[in-house]
C-alpha cells in the first residue's frame, strides 16, 4: 500500500508596494546606511499601509492563489492561519475571518502561532492532519506578519529586528497531489530564550494602566516590543543560534531519510554573515539560496519568498530538494523539506 503524499499545488506571497531604502531607514534608526546594507543585509524593505494587517494580507495572498489555481473556496476543507498573533484585533481568530472573506463555507479554520518559524511548522501540521484525517483533501495555509509595527527604532538593542517587513503568504495543499511533495520537518525550541522578546504591556499580567496612558513616551514604548535582557540574549544567540539552525535542517534530513544533497534552501532573513555561515555549515554554495536584501525580514513569508525568487532565477528545478528554514523568537527553529516538481 502506497503511503499518502501531500503536495503543494501552488503558493502566493503578498508584499506591500511601498518600500523604504537603507538611506531613508538610516535617518530613523541612526545607523549608517552602509552598515544597514553590508552588515545587516537591508538594501530596502517593505512598508505597510492602512490595509496591510496580518489577516488582510493573508487574505489578499489567498484570493490571488485561489484565482491562480482555479480553486473554488468551497472546495477547501481546512484553513490554517500560520501567522502572527499580533494582528487586527486582540482575542480573535484570524483564520475564521479569512474563511468568511473567501466564502470557504465548507471548511473549518483555526490559528497557529510560532513566530517566524511558523511556515515550516504549518507544513508539517497540515500534512500530518491530512494524512490522519481522510476528510481533509484540500487545505489552505495562510499567514500574515505585522511584527514590523512593533519594533522600536529608538532602541538600538532591537537592531537585529530593524529588518522586519509586513507581508502575507498563502499555500494550497492537496492530498495525493504528485508534485511538490512535502517531506519531513525538523523542529527545535530553545527555551532559554522564552522571555527575551515580548510584548510586555497590554496583556493580562501587565495591563496598560492610567500611569502609562498619561505619559506619552511610556505609552509609546508600551505598545512596542520589550527586551528584558538584551546583552544576555545577544550572548546566548551567539552561542546557540547556529546549532539551532543547522540542527533543524539536519533533523528534517534525517526524518526524511534523505539520501541526496539539498539543492536549494530558503532561509529566514538574517544578517549576511549568519546566512553565509548556515550555507557553509550545510556544505551549500551561495548560488543555492537567495538573500532577501531587497525585501527585509518578512517573518514566516521569507521561505516561500526565497523559493519564488529561486524558481524565477532557475535555481530550483524539477526534482530539486528544497529546504525551508525559519527561526522565531522564543526561540524556535524549524525546517521543512520539499521535493519540488516531480
Amino acid at each position: 500500500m502506497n503511503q499518502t503524499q501531500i503536495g503543494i499545488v501552488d503558493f502566493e506571497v503578498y508584499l506591500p508596494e511601498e518600500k523604504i531604502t537603507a538611506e531613508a531607514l538610516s535617518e530613523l534608526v541612526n545607523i549608517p546606511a552602509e552598515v544597514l546594507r553590508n552588515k545587516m543585509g537591508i538594501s530596502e524593505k517593505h512598508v505597510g499601509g492602512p490595509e496591510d494587517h496580518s489577516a488582510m494580507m493573508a487574505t489578499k495572498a489567498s484570493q490571488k492563489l485561489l484565482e491562480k489555481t482555479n480553486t473554488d473556496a468551497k472546495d477547501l476543507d481546512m484553513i490554517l492561519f500560520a501567522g502572527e498573533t499580533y494582528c487586527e484585533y486582540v482575542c480573535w481568530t484570524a483564520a475564521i475571518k479569512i474563511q468568511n472573506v473567501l466564502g470557504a463555507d465548507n471548511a473549518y479554520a483555526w490559528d497557529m502561532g510560532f513566530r517566524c518559524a511558523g511556515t515550516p511548522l504549518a507544513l508539517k501540521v497540515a500534512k500530518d492532519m491530512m494524512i490522519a484525517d481522510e476528510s481533509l483533501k484540500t487545505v489552505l495555509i495562510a499567514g500574515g506578519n505585522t511584527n514590523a509595527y512593533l519594533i522600536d527604532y529608538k532602541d538600538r538593542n532591537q537592531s537585529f529586528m530593524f529588518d522586519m517587513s509586513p507581508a502575507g503568504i498563502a499555500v494550497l495543499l492537496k492530498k495525493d497531489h504528485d508534485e511538490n511533495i512535502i517531506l519531513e520537518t525538523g523542529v527545535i525550541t530553545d527555551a532559554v530564550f522564552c522571555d527575551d522578546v515580548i510584548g510586555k504591556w497590554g496583556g493580562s499580567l501587565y495591563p496598560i494602566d492610567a500611569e502609562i496612558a498619561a505619559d506619552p513616551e511610556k505609552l509609546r514604548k508600551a505598545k512596542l516590543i520589550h527586551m528584558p535582557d538584551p546583552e544576555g540574549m545577544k550572548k546566548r544567540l551567539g552561542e546557540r543560534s547556529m546549532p539551532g539552525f543547522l540542527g533543524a535542517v539536519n533533523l528534517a534530513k534525517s526524518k526524511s531519510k534523505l539520501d541526496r544533497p539539498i539543492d536549494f534552501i530558503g532561509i529566514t532573513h538574517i544578517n549576511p554573515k549568519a546566512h553565509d555561515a548556515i550555507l557553509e555549515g550545510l556544505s551549500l554554495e551561495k548560488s543555492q539560496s537567495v538573500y532577501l536584501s531587497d525585501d527585509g525580514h518578512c517573518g514566516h513569508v521569507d521561505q516561500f519568498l526565497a523559493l519564488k525568487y529561486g524558481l524565477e532565477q532557475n535555481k530550483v528545478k524539477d526534482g530539486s530538494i528544497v529546504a525551508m528554514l525559519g527561526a522565531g523568537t522564543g526561540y524556535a527553529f524549524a525546517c521543512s523539506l520539499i521535493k519540488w516538481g516531480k
Side-chain angles (χ1 to χ4, degrees):
M1 184 174 171
N2 293 331
Q3 183 179 1
T4 301
Q5 292 185 322
I6 307 301
I8 296 173
V9 178
D10 209 340
F11 67 92
E12 189 63 53
V13 298
Y14 168 81
L15 302 170
E17 291 184 8
E18 185 180 351
K19 283 187 169 184
I20 185 171
T21 64
E23 287 72 21
L25 183 60
S26 174
E27 297 294 321
L28 299 178
V29 300
N30 196 28
I31 295 176
E34 59 268 24
V35 173
L36 292 173
R37 288 179 179 276
N38 299 327
K39 291 190 176 181
M40 299 172 68
I42 313 169
S43 295
E44 57 183 6
K45 67 172 193 168
H46 301 276
V47 178
E51 299 298 317
D52 293 326
H53 299 277
S54 289
M56 291 179 186
M57 292 188 291
T59 301
K60 291 172 184 178
S62 298
Q63 289 171 322
K64 190 171 181 179
L65 177 61
L66 294 184
E67 181 180 356
K68 183 168 67 171
T69 58
N70 196 28
T71 300
D72 189 333
K74 290 182 173 56
D75 290 334
L76 298 176
D77 300 307
M78 184 178 80
I79 298 173
L80 168 54
F81 178 78
E84 278 303 332
T85 52
Y86 176 66
C87 53
E88 285 87 331
Y89 306 109
V90 175
C91 198
W92 184 62
T93 306
I96 298 177
K97 175 64 173 181
I98 296 168
Q99 175 190 10
N100 177 259
V101 177
L102 296 180
D105 300 332
N106 298 317
Y108 69 90
W110 60 287
D111 291 1
M112 182 196 80
F114 205 49
R115 308 291 72 75
C116 299
T119 295
L121 180 62
L123 291 173
K124 170 182 171 53
V125 170
K127 172 192 169 182
D128 290 350
M129 291 181 69
M130 293 173 78
I131 291 173
D133 185 343
E134 64 179 18
S135 71
L136 296 179
K137 296 179 173 60
T138 306
V139 168
L140 175 69
I141 296 172
N145 191 303
T146 48
N147 281 4
Y149 305 158
L150 289 172
I151 307 307
D152 188 352
Y153 283 162
K154 294 183 179 181
D155 185 354
R156 187 64 68 88
N157 291 317
Q158 298 185 23
S159 62
F160 74 102
M161 296 185 286
F162 287 173
D163 61 346
M164 293 205 71
S165 298
I169 181 75
V171 187
L172 186 65
L173 310 184
K174 272 190 178 293
K175 186 176 291 184
D176 297 323
H177 186 71
D178 64 355
E179 292 184 294
N180 314 323
I181 303 300
I182 302 170
L183 303 180
E184 298 299 325
T185 302
V187 183
I188 295 172
T189 53
D190 194 341
V192 300
F193 297 98
C194 65
D195 293 324
D196 278 322
V197 180
I198 56 176
K200 181 175 179 178
W201 290 276
S204 60
L205 185 59
Y206 295 101
I208 296 178
D209 57 21
E211 179 184 349
I212 293 175
D215 186 316
E217 180 59 13
K218 285 184 178 180
L219 182 60
R220 184 191 71 83
K221 289 184 177 181
K223 294 178 179 180
L224 303 175
I225 286 292
H226 175 69
M227 297 178 64
D229 181 22
E231 289 303 318
M233 179 186 178
K234 183 178 180 180
K235 181 176 184 296
R236 279 178 270 117
L237 275 176
E239 299 167 347
R240 304 170 75 107
S241 64
M242 198 54 57
F245 277 117
L246 299 181
V249 177
N250 289 327
L251 184 57
K253 290 171 63 178
S254 175
K255 291 174 67 177
S256 300
K257 297 182 173 56
L258 194 65
D259 58 0
R260 51 173 285 192
I262 290 170
D263 298 300
F264 180 86
I265 185 167
I267 306 174
T268 194
H269 185 275
I270 48 180
N271 69 69
K273 183 178 179 181
H275 180 96
D276 291 346
I278 291 172
L279 295 178
E280 182 179 353
L282 296 172
S283 300
L284 298 175
E285 302 294 329
K286 287 188 177 182
S287 60
Q288 292 177 275
S289 187
V290 174
Y291 189 73
L292 304 174
S293 58
D294 293 333
D295 295 286
H297 175 28
C298 301
H300 51 279
V301 179
D302 284 357
Q303 295 80 45
F304 274 98
L305 181 57
L307 175 58
K308 175 180 181 292
Y309 294 144
L311 288 165
E312 292 172 353
Q313 297 170 22
N314 204 33
K315 293 183 176 184
V316 178
K317 303 176 182 179
D318 192 49
S320 291
I321 297 296
V322 175
M324 312 291 266
L325 178 59
T329 52
Y331 232 89
F333 305 89
C335 176
S336 285
L337 298 183
I338 303 167
K339 182 183 178 185
W340 199 258
K342 288 191 176 180

